[in-house]
Amino acid sequence: MPQVPLTCTQTGQPLPDYLVHTLDGNFVDSSGRTLLLRGVNLSGSSKAPVGHPSYILNGFWEAGATGNETFVGQPLNLADGSADEHLKRLRGWGFNMLRYPITWEALEHEGPGKYDYEFIDYTIRVLRKCKEYGFKVYLDPHQDVWSRFSGGSGAPYWTLPACGINPRAFTATQAAILHCEYPSPLPDSRDPASLPSMIWSTNYGRLASQTLFALFFGGRTFAPKCIIDGVNIQDYLQSHFTRAFTVLAERIRDAGGLLDEVVIGWDGMNEPAEGLIAYPDLNVYPTAQGSTLKKGSVPTPAQSFRLGMGKAQTVDYYTLGGFGPRRDGTVTIDPCGASIWADPADEPGGVHPRWKWRRDPQWKLGVCVWALHGVWDVETGYILQPDYFRYLPLSTGVPTPQSPESESRVEVDFLQDCFLPQITSYFSSIRHVHPNAIAFVQAPVFVVPPEVPETLLQGRACAAPHYYDGLTLISRHWNWYNADALGMIRGKYSNPIFAVRVGEKAIRACIRSQLGVLKEDAAQLGTTPPSPSSLSSSPHAVQARYPTIIGEIGTPFDMDKKASYDPSNPRYGDYGPQERALDASLSAADGTNALNYTVWTYCADSTHQWGDGWNMEDLSLWSSDDLERRIGHPTRCTDVTTTNGEAGMMTPARMSTATLATLRFASLPYASVSEPAHVRLAFLRDGARAVKAFCRPWPVSTVGVPSNIEFDIAKATVKISVSVRAGDMPRVYKESGEEEEDTEVADAESEKTAGSGATSVHSLESEKALEEKPSPLPTEIFLPLVHFAAEGCVSRSLALAEEQHAQTIPDGDVDPDTNGTGCVPTGTATPTTYTASTTTLLLSSPRSSSVCPAEIRIANEAYDITVKMSEGRIELCERTQMLRWFYSVPTTPGARKEAWIEVKRTGGAIKYPRGAGARSRKGRAGLTGWLEGLCGDSMNPCPESCIVM
């Protein structure tokens, strides 16, 4: 691992020891350990104001036009204490990273240059709460298909009239599909609950989104007549977007204690789109597979232009077939004269009466901006320049059919000509306020990012692509077949049939391969020639200089017509297919990929009826509708009435009295809690969907670099391999910030272990090779109770679920009847067993003559695990769900070694109850009742072959 820098490249000032670095393709803490940052997007609910999810039409347009809706309260309610409950749950699941979506609308909804400082201050309070729980955060300027008012989220309402657009005609012209007006705004036909899955994403191929993104990224190039307040619409929009998030950065900086300590960086615009830019032929819809979904009506750009001016068109219609979208006839759309282009009367004298901008006289309202620039003729509907967006303008001005043929035409490169200049301006503005900010670079979906120069990245960057299993997302079903979507989009296959994968094993391998390709894309960031050392260590060309985080990854939970939500369905309460689908995606981030990720999403207000509250998406890892019990001190339940008149039950959060420990290293400890293990386990499972898929074991901080991570849910076994090189020895600092000597570090670590309550339970002495030294810091592995809990812990947690009552257990109490005393050695063929709430196991490197590494069983109130490893010393800290693994680091220059550790739950994977039967049965007292409820009943008892035990 390269040396961690000591000074800021921007300011030259010493760097704080809590700073997260981006080195050699990884996140690295100040001691030099490799970090894996994994967590969630908090939250999908942040796309809309509190109380106004996307299905509500009442007041939708009026509030947008006045700009009087606030986003205060998104994503968490700070007033009722529930924020602590949610953050405690996320931390207990092992997450240490939050992607924090904030829309442009949330910051500047009142009008150009009018910022919502109340919301910004609320955001600062939420970030402080995240700090209490030890999270790192990167902020996400979130958008989908431009704005809430064009069927997605992101930009404020006023940006649409600024572009000369009347959004109230979107539904009539199908320039955009809006959830709240689906399929029609008329009261007799409006049915937002029937919105087809992922239909919102087809808006990327419709007129509103295509035009807005073309103006945002390429207004100067393709719409030179669009001048507002003396500048081109591109500069007007981009400057407001950048300034809004810079104001947020300034306020966070001035608040103190958040930049770098909590907020480690900033994402670029979420899922930026090209719009019409680089479109080869406006008369046809691209036949090649792209990232834009074909579903429902699919007009060509030419047809969209005519529809936008109120002219009826007959367009292709697509449905979802077995292997993706397929054409299924045509449909006629008749806007009945409605136009999306604003009436000139809206701006008397060229000045908007509310927002006060002045429009240049050559930008005439009421006319399609592309007709204004000679792309097509409104009267005839004829496309005059079908390849208008394919080429950069000629030096003589806007290209026309009469342009001299002698002038060569240069094809536009969206990434280099449009995208790169925008992110350069944006990140430069953010870095002026936040010098150490990590630039999370996100290109359009599934597109290879451009070569971003090091002059912009300055040693602090991360590739941040998104990945979804598209077939599962669209069909809302876990299929026996799938396809290499990324390979198809990037032209890997001559025929789509070659991209098909059949069988779960092949599907999982395919998804892992796709994530590996996305990881390789990071080589585009700050590209530098390979060094001699990198060439000697790897036969490949250029290793990525920066890490990769999958910014969004997840799966829908409303699969198979919401079978898991329906009490009359045998699958009620069973998230088995969802677990398999989500495990396939997150397991793909393991293996040799060893990727960082933030799962989409966690919504504190998720419901079965409306999902995440946005366009019928339902990807939240948790839902209050899945709560089974109330854990903690008895509290009064509060009725929460949703805006559609339906009431739900939410429990006020129990306030944690635990004091969170603080380390000087970037790898912060997991929230140590005072409740007994079985109470914590019940809390972590309550309301969670497919928890076994996302609450996974993984190396949080590693001495060296994780070379392979393999976790088998079915066997509750994880094996982690680590590549350790000379130079990977961690650095540890005194309180003054000075680096300690190795001997002092070793002594300090010994004293720390001796005074921590950890119990030294085993020691095998052998000679240490002189070429190695013991690491003063451990590799820390998150070991979730969800997978590795002891049998007694599991049974008592399930008893809480069955009893469905509040339970109060004094802080610090120990589970009385599961102290592990029954786990004792029975001979040489049986692993040695140790019991302690915090356990230390000492092992030296095995001699070359050893048959196999030692196998140790550790059992206590919380865990029952068997551990094998190539070498080292371990500590199991059950209160933090953390396994700390110490081993030696090579000292000879150029030396490298592989170390590994394998942990499995003794007795195999936990078989939690699933489905309606498991929920409805009344459990008998103790473990017998739990087993009967799971595997049988009084007439058909648990079979001898049951593997639960």
Side-chain angles (χ1 to χ4, degrees):
M1 187 68 63
Q3 284 292 313
V4 174
L6 300 177
T7 58
C8 176
T9 57
Q10 291 261 324
T11 65
Q13 297 297 312
L15 294 173
D17 57 9
Y18 49 71
L19 196 68
V20 174
H21 303 269
T22 54
L23 299 169
D24 204 23
N26 295 288
F27 290 111
V28 179
D29 69 12
S30 61
S31 69
R33 290 185 296 178
T34 299
L35 300 176
L36 275 183
L37 300 178
R38 293 181 168 183
V40 298
N41 281 260
L42 187 69
S43 149
S45 305
S46 298
K47 296 181 180 185
V50 174
H52 212 142
S54 64
Y55 58 86
I56 294 178
L57 179 59
N58 184 33
F60 176 73
W61 295 113
E62 295 77 10
T66 58
N68 61 5
E69 279 194 305
T70 179
F71 283 67
V72 171
Q74 297 288 29
L76 297 173
N77 188 332
L78 294 177
D80 65 358
S82 61
D84 288 280
E85 177 183 329
H86 294 299
L87 293 172
K88 176 181 176 181
R89 180 179 292 112
L90 291 170
R91 201 63 168 136
W93 286 339
F95 296 140
N96 60 357
M97 181 70 147
L98 299 175
R99 182 173 183 251
Y100 196 104
I102 296 177
T103 63
W104 179 7
E105 181 189 5
L107 301 173
E108 201 177 2
H109 53 85
E110 293 185 30
K114 297 180 180 179
Y115 305 110
D116 189 340
Y117 289 105
E118 181 184 0
F119 171 76
I120 294 175
D121 290 342
Y122 156 80
T123 299
I124 289 170
R125 294 195 299 275
V126 176
L127 291 174
R128 291 205 188 282
K129 185 66 68 174
C130 294
K131 182 179 180 179
E132 290 179 24
Y133 286 85
F135 286 105
K136 297 299 184 184
V137 174
Y138 68 111
L139 297 174
D140 159 38
H142 203 86
Q143 74 81 33
D144 303 275
V145 295
W146 187 259
S147 171
R148 279 201 300 144
F149 305 97
S150 54
S153 67
Y157 175 91
W158 56 262
T159 61
L160 282 82
C163 292
I165 290 174
N166 167 30
R168 298 200 185 201
F170 283 167
T171 297
T173 60
Q174 292 206 10
I177 292 178
L178 279 74
H179 187 194
C180 61
E181 291 190 342
Y182 188 83
S184 164
L186 299 177
D188 292 341
S189 56
R190 180 175 169 270
D191 183 18
S194 67
L195 186 79
S197 64
M198 295 300 295
I199 195 75
W200 69 265
S201 67
T202 67
N203 286 331
Y204 278 115
R206 299 178 187 274
L207 181 59
S209 176
Q210 288 183 325
T211 294
L212 289 160
F213 279 108
L215 295 177
F216 181 84
F217 282 111
R220 287 198 306 270
T221 303
F222 298 105
K225 295 182 180 180
C226 293
I227 306 297
I228 186 170
D229 279 350
V231 298
N232 186 269
I233 187 62
Q234 173 183 335
D235 300 305
Y236 185 81
L237 294 172
Q238 287 192 17
S239 63
H240 278 285
F241 172 84
T242 298
R243 182 57 190 156
F245 285 95
T246 303
V247 167
L248 173 64
E250 291 171 345
R251 198 84 163 188
I252 294 174
R253 175 201 60 194
D254 295 343
L258 292 174
L259 293 185
D260 300 329
E261 294 184 59
V262 182
V263 179
I264 65 172
W266 300 70
D267 213 342
M269 173 184 279
N270 180 71
E271 298 182 356
E274 304 92 330
L276 291 165
I277 298 173
Y279 223 96
D281 186 348
L282 297 173
N283 284 309
V284 297
Y285 204 94
T287 55
Q289 177 66 46
S291 59
T292 300
L293 174 66
K294 295 178 181 177
K295 190 172 184 178
S297 60
V298 182
T300 66
Q303 291 172 324
S304 291
F305 291 169
R306 301 173 194 129
L307 286 167
M309 287 297 295
K311 298 184 177 181
Q313 298 287 294
T314 299
V315 306
D316 287 342
Y317 190 86
Y318 277 74
T319 56
L320 184 66
F323 290 93
R326 61 179 176 83
R327 187 176 179 275
D328 188 20
T330 61
V331 62
T332 298
I333 305 169
D334 187 358
C336 299
S339 171
I340 74 162
W341 303 105
D343 192 320
D346 293 345
E347 296 183 6
V351 178
H352 195 281
R354 181 176 183 83
W355 292 300
K356 306 302 180 185
W357 57 63
R358 180 175 294 275
R359 197 175 303 273
D360 191 274
Q362 64 178 335
W363 188 352
K364 298 178 180 179
L365 293 182
V367 179
C368 172
V369 293
W370 309 124
L372 194 65
H373 288 84
V375 179
W376 71 292
D377 179 71
V378 174
E379 292 300 321
T380 64
Y382 183 72
I383 302 297
L384 303 173
Q385 300 181 69
D387 58 359
Y388 178 81
F389 295 97
R390 182 177 179 180
Y391 299 99
L392 293 171
L394 300 172
S395 58
T396 54
V398 178
T400 66
Q402 293 76 35
S403 298
E405 295 183 4
S406 59
E407 293 192 54
S408 60
R409 305 182 71 184
V410 178
E411 288 195 13
V412 64
D413 184 331
F414 172 80
L415 295 175
Q416 289 293 333
D417 300 328
C418 306
F419 173 74
L420 188 55
Q422 189 273 326
I423 65 168
T424 298
S425 173
Y426 165 77
F427 282 126
S428 297
S429 182
I430 294 294
R431 284 266 180 79
H432 183 73
V433 180
H434 185 181
N436 293 325
I438 297 172
F440 288 81
V441 180
Q442 180 188 167
V445 176
F446 283 179
V447 172
V448 179
E451 293 187 2
V452 183
E454 185 58 27
T455 51
L456 172 62
L457 304 180
Q458 299 183 358
R460 299 190 58 76
C462 175
H466 294 179
Y467 179 84
Y468 289 98
D469 168 8
L471 181 61
T472 302
L473 189 66
I474 297 168
S475 67
R476 294 177 179 172
H477 177 73
W478 178 239
N479 295 277
W480 54 270
Y481 61 89
N482 211 301
D484 179 3
L486 180 62
M488 285 194 295
I489 290 174
R490 294 192 177 183
K492 180 179 178 180
Y493 304 99
S494 59
N495 190 304
I497 195 66
F498 298 129
V500 176
R501 301 291 185 270
V502 178
E504 192 156 323
K505 183 177 179 180
I507 293 170
R508 293 170 68 92
C510 179
I511 297 175
R512 181 171 286 189
S513 174
Q514 291 177 74
L515 292 192
V517 172
L518 293 177
K519 182 178 181 178
E520 292 172 357
D521 288 347
Q524 296 289 99
L525 306 187
T527 304
T528 55
S531 63
S533 61
S534 66
L535 287 176
S536 63
S537 62
S538 173
H540 302 291
V542 181
Q543 179 180 355
R545 179 171 183 173
Y546 292 107
T548 297
I549 188 168
I550 306 300
E552 291 185 19
I553 188 169
T555 202
F557 288 96
D558 56 342
M559 287 186 182
D560 304 318
K561 300 180 180 179
K562 300 188 177 185
S564 301
Y565 304 162
D566 183 1
S568 65
N569 193 298
R571 271 184 49 196
Y572 175 55
D574 181 0
Y575 289 99
Q578 294 90 330
E579 179 182 293
R580 290 162 61 195
L582 187 56
D583 177 54
S585 289
L586 298 187
S587 178
D590 287 339
T592 56
N593 288 332
L595 282 161
N596 310 275
Y597 56 73
T598 43
V599 178
W600 188 272
T601 174
Y602 183 96
C603 298
D605 55 359
S606 168
T607 66
H608 287 177
Q609 182 179 6
W610 296 107
D612 305 338
W614 183 81
N615 281 326
M616 299 307 294
E617 283 200 347
D618 192 351
L619 285 84
S620 178
L621 301 180
W622 179 90
S623 173
S624 60
D625 283 352
D626 286 285
L627 288 171
E628 289 185 307
R629 70 197 127 278
R630 301 292 179 259
I631 301 171
H633 300 291
T635 54
R636 178 179 60 84
C637 294
T638 303
D639 288 324
V640 178
T641 303
T642 60
T643 48
N644 68 333
E646 294 204 358
M649 297 297 291
M650 295 290 288
T651 304
R654 176 183 179 183
M655 300 299 294
S656 174
T657 58
T659 301
L660 298 175
T662 302
L663 288 182
R664 295 174 62 80
F665 314 119
S667 179
L668 294 174
Y670 286 79
S672 179
V673 292
S674 57
E675 294 91 344
H678 72 280
V679 177
R680 282 181 281 140
L681 177 59
F683 170 73
L684 295 176
R685 293 185 59 241
D686 199 17
R689 290 104 73 85
V691 66
K692 293 178 70 175
F694 65 78
C695 187
R696 312 169 65 84
W698 49 285
V700 178
S701 50
T702 304
V703 177
V705 178
S707 56
N708 196 22
I709 306 168
E710 294 295 347
F711 172 54
D712 189 330
I713 284 184
K715 297 179 180 178
T717 301
V718 61
K719 184 173 182 178
I720 297 170
S721 300
V722 179
S723 177
V724 191
R725 302 176 299 179
D728 288 339
M729 183 68 75
R731 298 185 307 187
V732 183
Y733 298 88
K734 300 177 182 178
E735 286 300 317
S736 63
E738 298 178 0
E739 190 173 353
E740 293 195 4
E741 298 293 333
D742 287 346
T743 55
E744 293 176 333
V745 170
D747 292 342
E749 187 58 43
S750 297
E751 293 175 4
K752 178 180 177 182
T753 301
S756 65
T759 305
S760 178
V761 296
H762 191 64
S763 178
L764 296 175
E765 297 297 336
S766 69
E767 295 180 1
K768 279 287 184 181
L770 297 177
E771 293 81 7
E772 295 185 359
K773 287 186 178 180
S775 170
L777 294 177
T779 285
E780 295 180 298
I781 300 168
F782 177 67
L783 206 63
L785 279 172
V786 166
H787 288 285
F788 298 97
E791 294 165 3
C793 179
V794 173
S795 62
R796 296 189 71 201
S797 73
L798 291 172
L800 288 178
E802 288 294 328
E803 293 166 9
Q804 296 187 6
H805 70 269
Q807 179 172 335
T808 302
I809 299 179
D811 290 346
D813 278 9
V814 178
D815 299 2
D817 57 355
T818 56
N819 58 11
T821 56
C823 301
V824 294
T826 58
T828 57
T830 302
T832 308
T833 304
Y834 304 94
T835 62
S837 60
T838 303
T839 300
T840 301
L841 169 65
L842 299 173
L843 290 175
S844 63
S845 299
R847 298 177 185 271
S848 58
S849 60
S850 298
V851 176
C852 65
E855 186 173 88
I856 309 298
R857 179 179 177 185
I858 305 173
N860 54 40
E861 296 89 351
Y863 287 95
D864 191 350
I865 59 173
T866 302
V867 182
K868 293 172 63 176
M869 57 188 170
S870 60
E871 63 171 286
R873 169 169 65 90
I874 60 171
E875 295 176 2
L876 175 60
C877 307
E878 61 103 341
R879 292 295 183 183
T880 57
Q881 302 183 79
M882 195 70 69
L883 186 70
R884 308 176 78 216
W885 175 31
F886 295 84
Y887 44 82
S888 297
V889 177
T891 57
T892 304
R896 179 195 297 265
K897 73 172 186 179
E898 289 283 323
W900 61 266
I901 187 170
E902 182 179 73
V903 183
K904 64 181 179 181
R905 181 178 184 270
T906 308
I910 302 168
K911 301 291 185 179
Y912 292 109
R914 280 183 174 175
R919 288 191 177 204
S920 62
R921 293 189 181 105
K922 298 296 183 180
R924 288 168 52 188
L927 187 58
T928 303
W930 168 61
L931 287 172
E932 289 182 359
L934 176 62
C935 304
D937 51 35
S938 58
M939 298 300 294
N940 298 285
C942 182
E944 294 182 0
S945 61
C946 177
I947 62 172
V948 175
M949 302 304 292

